[in-house]
Amino acid sequence: MYNFNNYSIKTKLLFVFIVFKVLPLILLSSIVFFSFLEIRGLLKESSTSIIKESRNAIVKTTNLTILDSITALDKKSQEMIEHKTHEIANKVAEFLKQRDEDILFLSEQTITKELLQKFYNRKNREVYIATEYYFNKKQDKWIPKKTHDNIQNNEVALLKDNEREFHKIESVQVNKKAIPLYKEITYYDINGKEIYKVSSIDKTLKDISIKQNTYCKAEKYYKESLSLKKGEIYVSKVIGEYVSSPIIGSFTQEKVKKANIKFEPEKYGYAGIENPVGKKFDGIIRFVTPVYKGKKLNGYISFALDHHHIMDFTDFVNPLSTAHLNIPDASKGNYAFMWSSDFKAISHPRDYFIVGYDASTGKIVPGWIDSSLAKKFKQSTKKDLNSFLKEQPIFFNQSLNKKPNIYQIKKGQISLDCRYLNFAPQCQGWKQLTDDGGYGSFIIFWSNVWKLTTAATIPYYTGQYKNSKRGFGFVTIGANIKEFHKAASQTKKNVAKILSKEEQHVENSIIKITENIFKSIKNQIDKIIIITIILIILIIYVAIYISNNISNRIKQIIIGTEKIKDKNFDYQLTIKEKDEIGKLKSSFNDMAKSIKTLTTDLEEKLYVDDLTKLKNRRAFWSDIKKYKNPVLFLLDIDLFKNINDYYGAEAGNFILIEFGNILKEFSKKNNAEIYRMGSDEYLLLKDKSSFTKPEVNLIKEFVKIIEKEHFINKELHIDTTISFTCGISEGEGNLLEKADLALNEATRKKVSYMKYSYTNPYMNRHKENVLWKEKIIFAIENDNIVPFFQEIINNKNSKHKKYEALIRLIDNDKVISPYFFLNVAKETKLYPELTQIMIEKTFKVFDNVDASFSLNLSIDDILNARTVQFIYKKLKKYNVQNKLIFEILESEEIANFDDIIPFIYSMKKLGVRFAIDDFGSGYSNFSYLLQIKPDYIKIDGSLIKNITKTSNEYHIVHAIVKFAKSLGIKIIAEHVSSQNIVNVLNDFDIDYMQGFHFSEPSPILS
């Protein structure tokens, strides 16, 4: 048997409600339900038929109209992009013709080095600068460093007559930078010997009749120039080193993992938004014309046009807009690119598609081919793909059915040569469009989308290009045709929405009709409904009465909990009843009292210092929020550690309590709050608005009070006076940190107080150190710690090459000297990691190079067990032990020679030599030599750069050389900056010289 009283009040109310109201209502509703259902079915069937027939007619009409719109839009867009392609091609041609004018103008002048330099400096042109991106590892994609929101211009016309389709486009600011037009301008004689040269490639004068001395070892312009007549110009193909990539498309961690390579995007070809940090194709176009004096041929003028300017015409083009892109983007299939007259890619958003050369051999890197042609090459006797392709027919059966050669993707050699790109039939289409020097377009299904592709001849016919109707080559643009008719497609969607809405409207109308029918039937059962309603009202009244009685009493308890939530722990409930709710109220009152007691104890522990009973640091952070203009005085008891050490911790506590009491009385008189911040630090907090005198007057007054105080405790045997140092801060930011910085500076200067100032370099030095620490960590993580090499000149045997490896940090393409970051690295314990990076990279460079090299090693490095272990490990890996010289700074003090001598001796057994760097500037001087027994000493640059025959430095260097020679140690003079210094040093028996007079540090070996 079920006991009804075991159920809750809520359950009982629901039960009564169901029995007396819901069940009768269901019974009555069921009588009329089937009648309603039959009528509704008939209405629904007929209305559905009408809606369906109407919708089919509208959809058919709409589809025909939209199809006509799409066709018209596609045709208009096709004409627009054809025009844009033709326009770009003409701009490229005009730009190249201007270069013809430049070289012909210069050939008419009297050629001097100064003239070439002035001409080079004057010839600059602005190019687009791509937005900087960084790689987000979590999202696995490239993200711009600075985001720019695209703000829609919703400006309306000022006049009503102009308001229809008023559309204003704001001028978009694009990043541009002026760079030289030419990488090189040279004047060479009829034998190919360069006479004058202005160059950013190689400033050394060379014999360019030798192909190995030309750019990428690939140029043959000397031979071509011999047949030039006056006023004729030789123009080369695009020449540059090929940049490879085993990844096509966005360079992501997912793709790198599939390709089984490391994530090192900077090592592979640049691809705009898909790889914004990759290596860029660095090409030139060579222009040459003869120089006559009268009728006599004197020599030749040569320009190396920076290929960057050619790529600038297409890289930032947006086929679907008049605005330019902020970075080259081939990811969506809408982009422009360029081909040479012999169908090689010479400009592309993905630089690894541009045909280039192997800089070590001067041979062209063969283009990407299809798998069937690759199979044929593998079966042939040819070992060189270039030789094989010369024997193959061009544009052979090009088709989308053919597949690309996967092996070339893995190898990273995927430059585009249309003649053999047989899996891309659009190549044949471009050839057909430009055969007669014209332009046009066609649509092709490429990369799973229908694309419009255009081609337009570049009408430049100078030199070798005069024999081709295709001129310099042709420009192509690819665009997704879906983008052309977005509006029409959207209209189709809108029509579908309208149809759906109308269907709903008709359906709603039918429902209204049905409802009217239902109302007429409902009138027949009104009496039954009235009886049901009476029953419902009765049950609701009873339920409301019971629930109100209970809920009002529970509400009182809820109000009590809200009071506790608002920290009103004194609130007590009124108890009138003796039932369960009365007992609950009594328990609640007891709980509130307990919480009040616990909260009071907890607040005291949280916000009050146990020793001094002053407010603590937590209380300070809570209170400071109440101040509009807080002023902080951070006080530190001077030499408190000495008091603790001398008198003991109990006496120290006595001083802390007494000092706090004095400060507490002082703060009351001056309307300030007092806190103990920890150990022997106290803090006064006061609002700036309450000051009637300068803030420092407050602390001066307290200094006088403390100076008069004697801290005496006979039981603890203490009788002493104390002083304190104070740091003051106000304004915005982290005032406690600023007060602490001011306190440290006051301590350093041994003054009683100092106020924080952002202009004080000592107070803000930590910020600069934090910045450099972040830069060092970023450089380590992004492989931007690199060695630079400076040649050390052998005065007695020029055949034996020697270099010094110098550490550099690359920051946003700037080369940073160690002067700025090395001390920070030592302070932040990053220095050993820098040393290990330099060891790894330098050893790797000289592994197969026949030259000696020196590397700086600090005393800390030698004392660092991990660094020493790393050195031994890398000496086993690389064959450099007989080439390596470790340079130890003479300026670094050695506390115990016994700690470093074993390392030096063990290295010498392996063939490693040692040098003392900056000799004459440090601690040990000549005793250093006797202890370490180095193979070389490097005389400090401060002695060398000021040396003259009458100077003190002259005699010091003389003494160092004489002493070192007596020990059989070789001498290196560093910081040699002029020929005058060389002449003075020739008086001594100097073995080696090093300095900017001979060469500057460079990332590559000279």
Side-chain angles (χ1 to χ4, degrees):
M1 291 290 292
Y2 289 104
N3 189 345
F4 193 68
N5 293 323
N6 289 337
Y7 293 95
S8 66
I9 295 172
K10 184 178 179 180
T11 305
K12 294 172 185 177
L13 289 172
L14 288 173
F15 177 79
V16 172
F17 188 78
I18 291 170
V19 170
F20 289 96
K21 184 260 182 184
V22 177
L23 290 179
L25 187 61
I26 292 173
L27 183 62
L28 292 171
S29 299
S30 63
I31 295 171
V32 297
F33 175 76
F34 292 104
S35 300
F36 290 169
L37 193 64
E38 185 178 356
I39 296 169
R40 181 184 287 177
L42 292 171
L43 287 171
K44 190 174 182 180
E45 185 179 343
S46 59
S47 62
T48 301
S49 177
I50 294 168
I51 292 169
K52 187 175 181 181
E53 290 175 6
S54 301
R55 189 182 189 282
N56 289 339
I58 295 170
V59 167
K60 189 174 181 181
T61 305
T62 302
N63 286 343
L64 288 172
T65 305
I66 291 173
L67 183 62
D68 290 342
S69 300
I70 288 173
T71 303
L73 285 169
D74 287 353
K75 191 64 180 176
K76 185 67 179 177
S77 300
Q78 184 176 14
E79 292 172 358
M80 180 192 73
I81 296 178
E82 283 177 352
H83 175 73
K84 179 177 280 194
T85 312
H86 184 53
E87 184 179 37
I88 294 170
N90 285 333
K91 285 181 180 179
V92 175
E94 186 60 32
F95 174 74
L96 293 171
K97 289 172 187 176
Q98 290 170 2
R99 309 289 68 80
D100 293 349
E101 293 171 5
D102 280 355
I103 198 165
L104 291 175
F105 168 77
L106 199 56
S107 70
E108 296 293 332
Q109 311 304 309
T110 301
I111 306 300
T112 65
K113 186 172 182 179
E114 290 74 17
L115 175 66
L116 297 187
Q117 186 67 57
K118 286 180 180 179
F119 188 85
Y120 177 89
N121 293 340
R122 189 162 51 87
K123 289 294 179 179
N124 294 291
R125 176 178 174 270
E126 283 193 338
V127 295
Y128 292 101
I129 302 300
T131 297
E132 291 187 358
Y133 278 65
Y134 73 96
F135 190 75
N136 187 303
K137 291 183 179 179
K138 288 185 178 179
Q139 298 182 32
D140 197 22
K141 68 177 183 178
W142 297 94
I143 294 176
K145 289 186 177 179
K146 293 182 179 179
T147 57
H148 301 281
D149 295 332
N150 294 322
I151 300 173
Q152 183 70 31
N153 192 321
N154 295 320
E155 188 174 339
V156 297
L158 298 174
L159 299 177
K160 186 172 179 63
D161 293 340
N162 303 333
E163 69 182 5
R164 184 172 180 181
E165 296 299 325
F166 185 84
H167 181 212
K168 179 179 177 181
I169 300 173
E170 297 285 353
S171 175
V172 179
Q173 187 67 34
V174 292
N175 294 325
K176 281 194 168 188
K177 176 184 177 183
I179 65 170
L181 278 169
Y182 304 108
K183 282 182 174 288
E184 182 176 273
I185 302 177
T186 62
Y187 175 59
Y188 61 89
D189 63 19
I190 58 177
N191 296 316
K193 303 288 193 302
E194 292 180 333
I195 302 170
Y196 304 126
K197 175 191 277 189
V198 181
S199 176
S200 63
I201 301 171
D202 186 351
K203 301 183 187 302
T204 309
L205 297 175
K206 295 185 176 181
D207 181 354
I208 55 88
S209 66
I210 302 170
K211 191 177 179 183
Q212 295 284 65
N213 290 337
T214 64
Y215 193 62
C216 291
K217 301 179 183 178
E219 294 188 272
K220 53 181 180 179
Y221 63 92
Y222 170 71
K223 184 178 178 181
E224 297 289 342
S225 66
L226 295 178
S227 61
L228 292 175
K229 296 177 183 178
K230 187 174 182 179
E232 291 184 335
I233 303 171
Y234 164 76
V235 186
S236 74
K237 302 289 186 183
V238 173
I239 296 171
E241 184 176 2
Y242 177 66
V243 291
S244 65
S245 176
I247 302 295
I248 298 176
S250 190
F251 203 105
T252 62
Q253 292 172 323
E254 183 183 358
K255 287 189 176 181
V256 160
K257 187 176 181 181
K258 288 180 180 178
N260 196 26
I261 60 173
K262 292 182 179 180
F263 186 78
E264 298 173 319
E266 65 280 355
K267 288 188 176 182
Y268 302 106
Y270 176 81
I273 200 171
E274 296 174 327
N275 182 4
V277 299
K279 290 193 291 188
K280 293 187 177 182
F281 180 80
D282 191 11
I284 65 166
I285 300 172
R286 182 74 66 176
F287 290 73
V288 182
T289 195
V291 176
Y292 281 83
K293 189 172 184 180
K295 293 185 178 181
K296 182 183 176 183
L297 175 63
N298 275 14
Y300 298 88
I301 281 288
S302 162
F303 289 172
L305 173 64
D306 190 342
H307 178 252
H308 191 151
H309 293 284
I310 297 297
M311 295 180 70
D312 196 56
F313 282 99
T314 56
D315 272 3
F316 293 85
V317 169
N318 183 349
L320 305 175
S321 171
T322 56
H324 281 78
L325 301 168
N326 61 15
I327 188 171
D329 184 2
S331 63
K332 299 180 179 67
N334 302 316
Y335 56 91
F337 44 112
M338 207 179 305
W339 303 83
S340 65
S341 59
D342 56 350
F343 303 100
K344 295 184 179 72
I346 59 174
S347 175
H348 200 286
R350 296 166 173 164
D351 284 19
Y352 47 77
F353 280 162
I354 300 172
V355 175
Y357 291 79
D358 183 338
S360 64
T361 64
K363 293 182 179 179
I364 197 165
V365 175
W368 200 6
I369 59 176
D370 68 281
S371 57
S372 60
L373 195 58
K375 184 177 180 181
K376 188 177 179 182
F377 166 62
K378 192 174 182 181
Q379 294 170 349
S380 73
T381 57
K382 299 287 185 182
K383 294 183 179 180
D384 177 29
L385 182 56
N386 280 326
S387 302
F388 170 76
L389 290 176
K390 286 180 182 178
E391 299 176 357
Q392 302 306 309
I394 61 176
F395 300 100
F396 181 69
N397 290 338
Q398 293 188 339
S399 169
L400 290 171
N401 294 325
K402 293 187 177 182
K403 304 299 178 185
N405 181 16
I406 301 300
Y407 172 76
Q408 284 180 290
I409 300 176
K410 292 179 180 178
K411 195 176 179 183
Q413 292 184 353
I414 48 176
S415 60
L416 305 181
D417 184 338
C418 256
R419 298 172 300 172
Y420 307 108
L421 204 65
N422 293 334
F423 57 84
Q426 57 266 48
C427 289
Q428 175 66 52
W430 295 330
K431 176 181 180 299
Q432 186 178 347
L433 290 174
T434 58
D435 271 343
D436 297 320
Y439 67 98
S441 65
F442 55 91
I443 293 174
I444 187 170
F445 190 73
W446 179 255
S447 298
N448 296 319
V449 293
W450 286 103
K451 292 183 69 173
L452 172 71
T453 181
T454 63
T457 298
I458 301 171
Y460 174 73
Y461 302 103
T462 300
Q464 63 176 305
Y465 300 108
K466 66 185 176 183
N467 299 320
S468 169
K469 289 184 179 181
R470 205 167 274 106
F472 182 73
F474 57 95
V475 174
T476 60
I477 288 179
N480 185 346
I481 63 172
K482 282 188 178 180
E483 301 289 340
F484 303 161
H485 48 256
K486 257 187 178 178
S489 298
Q490 186 59 44
T491 300
K492 188 174 182 180
K493 291 179 182 179
N494 292 341
V495 168
K497 287 182 180 178
I498 292 168
L499 284 174
S500 178
K501 191 174 181 181
E502 287 302 315
E503 283 181 15
Q504 187 64 44
H505 178 70
V506 173
E507 188 173 343
N508 290 339
S509 298
I510 294 171
I511 289 171
K512 285 182 179 180
I513 295 169
T514 306
E515 286 176 351
N516 290 331
I517 296 171
F518 291 166
K519 284 179 182 179
S520 66
I521 299 172
K522 183 175 174 293
N523 289 331
Q524 302 301 317
I525 57 171
D526 277 345
K527 292 179 181 180
I528 298 172
I529 292 174
I530 290 170
I531 294 170
T532 304
I533 291 171
I534 292 171
L535 289 172
I536 291 171
I537 291 171
L538 181 61
I539 297 303
I540 290 174
Y541 175 78
V542 173
I544 290 172
Y545 174 78
I546 296 171
S547 63
N548 282 344
N549 181 267
I550 296 171
S551 63
N552 286 338
R553 294 158 74 190
I554 293 173
K555 190 175 181 181
Q556 293 175 18
I557 299 173
I558 292 171
I559 291 170
T561 59
E562 291 294 329
K563 294 288 185 181
I564 290 179
K565 181 181 176 183
D566 295 334
K567 299 183 179 178
N568 184 359
F569 303 124
D570 293 323
Y571 183 80
Q572 294 284 291
L573 297 174
T574 303
I575 304 173
K576 294 180 179 180
E577 55 277 273
K578 295 182 180 180
D579 58 7
E580 287 82 357
I581 292 180
K583 292 178 182 179
L584 181 61
K585 286 181 178 181
S586 179
S587 298
F588 176 87
N589 289 342
D590 293 340
M591 180 187 68
K593 292 175 184 177
S594 299
I595 291 173
K596 181 182 178 181
T597 303
L598 290 171
T599 303
T600 303
D601 294 343
L602 184 60
E603 281 186 351
E604 186 172 342
K605 289 181 180 179
L606 284 174
Y607 295 101
V608 179
D609 177 54
D610 286 340
L611 179 65
T612 63
K613 304 306 176 186
L614 299 174
K615 291 185 180 181
N616 61 13
R617 181 183 288 265
R618 186 188 294 271
F620 161 73
W621 286 117
S622 176
D623 290 351
I624 196 172
K625 298 173 185 176
K626 305 169 187 174
Y627 287 76
K628 290 184 178 179
N629 296 298
V631 181
L632 273 63
F633 300 84
L634 185 63
L635 293 77
D636 181 80
I637 299 173
D638 296 335
L639 302 175
F640 179 73
K641 184 178 183 301
N642 292 350
I643 295 172
N644 253 353
D645 293 343
Y646 185 75
Y647 292 104
E650 194 174 350
N653 288 343
F654 167 73
I655 295 292
L656 293 173
I657 293 167
E658 287 301 307
F659 184 82
N661 289 336
I662 296 167
L663 191 56
K664 186 176 182 180
E665 288 299 318
F666 180 76
S667 66
K668 285 181 181 178
K669 292 178 183 178
N670 290 279
N671 193 26
E673 291 287 342
I674 172 73
Y675 306 87
R676 185 186 178 207
M677 301 302 286
S679 187
D680 57 343
E681 283 190 349
Y682 296 80
L683 187 137
L684 273 172
L685 175 62
K686 185 174 170 67
D687 197 277
K688 188 173 179 64
S689 61
S690 65
F691 281 96
T692 56
K693 297 178 182 179
E695 297 92 331
V696 294
N697 286 7
L698 183 70
I699 211 64
K700 284 179 180 179
E701 184 182 343
F702 190 64
V703 168
K704 291 178 181 178
I705 292 171
I706 292 299
E707 285 176 347
K708 295 176 183 178
E709 283 290 333
H710 256 266
F711 293 81
I712 302 171
N713 188 316
K714 293 181 179 180
E715 292 181 4
L716 298 174
H717 307 290
I718 182 170
D719 183 354
T720 185
T721 59
I722 65 170
S723 61
F724 66 89
T725 305
C726 178
I728 307 168
S729 68
E730 62 174 296
E732 298 178 349
N734 190 334
L735 295 184
L736 184 57
E737 180 185 354
K738 291 179 178 178
D740 188 55
L741 292 170
L743 174 63
N744 292 338
E745 181 63 3
T747 304
R748 189 182 74 84
K749 287 193 170 183
K750 295 183 173 59
V751 296
S752 295
Y753 60 86
M754 282 196 77
K755 189 172 182 179
Y756 175 80
S757 171
Y758 71 91
T759 59
N760 188 315
Y762 287 97
M763 291 188 188
N764 291 280
R765 184 175 58 185
H766 71 294
K767 293 182 180 178
E768 187 176 347
N769 287 351
V770 170
L771 175 64
W772 277 110
K773 179 182 177 183
E774 290 174 353
K775 287 189 177 186
I776 294 168
I777 292 171
F778 183 83
I780 291 171
E781 291 175 349
N782 293 273
D783 197 27
N784 284 340
I785 300 297
V786 298
F788 272 48
F789 307 98
Q790 187 176 36
E791 187 174 0
I792 302 173
I793 306 301
N794 190 328
N795 293 335
K796 299 178 180 178
N797 188 346
S798 60
K799 291 183 180 179
H800 293 162
K801 292 276 188 179
K802 189 187 295 291
Y803 300 88
E804 181 179 3
L806 302 163
I807 190 169
R808 295 292 186 267
L809 183 149
I810 308 301
D811 180 29
N812 290 330
D813 297 330
K814 292 180 181 178
V815 180
I816 307 298
S817 164
Y819 169 81
F820 294 98
F821 64 86
L822 217 53
N823 284 336
V824 177
K826 290 179 180 178
E827 290 174 6
T828 55
K829 295 183 173 56
L830 295 170
Y831 185 77
E833 195 165 354
L834 299 185
T835 299
Q836 291 175 25
I837 290 171
M838 284 293 291
I839 289 169
E840 175 70 42
K841 291 189 175 183
T842 309
F843 281 20
K844 188 175 182 179
V845 168
F846 285 94
D847 188 25
N848 295 309
V849 175
D850 185 18
S852 299
F853 67 99
S854 61
L855 188 64
N856 287 308
L857 201 66
S858 71
I859 300 304
D860 289 338
D861 289 328
I862 297 174
L863 297 176
N864 187 309
R866 287 189 178 181
T867 302
V868 171
Q869 187 178 5
F870 188 81
I871 292 170
Y872 281 115
K873 182 180 177 181
K874 296 306 170 183
L875 284 173
K876 287 182 180 179
K877 181 178 179 181
Y878 299 105
N879 181 30
V880 296
Q881 56 266 36
N882 293 316
K883 309 172 188 177
L884 173 61
I885 303 163
F886 278 132
E887 292 188 13
I888 301 176
L889 281 174
E890 193 259 346
S891 59
E892 292 189 338
E893 185 175 16
I894 300 175
N896 188 353
F897 275 98
D898 292 339
D899 293 336
I900 69 163
I901 293 301
F903 171 77
I904 294 174
Y905 284 176
S906 64
M907 286 289 109
K908 284 188 174 184
K909 284 182 181 179
L910 295 174
V912 177
R913 290 164 286 170
F914 283 83
I916 304 298
D917 196 11
D918 292 344
F919 189 79
S921 66
Y923 297 93
S924 303
N925 295 324
F926 291 104
S927 65
Y928 223 75
L929 302 179
L930 297 173
Q931 291 281 353
I932 294 178
K933 298 179 183 178
D935 302 278
Y936 306 88
I937 65 168
K938 299 185 77 173
I939 301 174
D940 184 55
S942 64
L943 298 174
I944 299 300
K945 66 182 180 181
N946 297 318
I947 195 168
T948 64
K949 291 189 177 182
T950 59
S951 67
N952 290 332
E953 286 83 353
Y954 182 89
H955 299 293
I956 294 171
V957 172
H958 179 73
I960 292 172
V961 172
K962 187 175 180 181
F963 183 77
K965 288 294 180 181
S966 70
L967 297 176
I969 300 171
K970 293 185 178 180
I971 307 295
I972 302 172
E974 56 183 355
H975 290 267
V976 178
S977 58
S978 68
Q979 186 60 42
N980 289 336
I981 294 176
V982 174
N983 295 338
V984 174
L985 291 175
N986 284 335
D987 289 350
F988 308 115
D989 187 15
I990 300 290
D991 300 285
Y992 302 90
M993 293 187 192
Q994 177 184 356
F996 278 27
H997 178 66
F998 304 106
S999 65
E1000 295 185 14
S1002 168
I1004 57 174
L1005 298 177
S1006 59

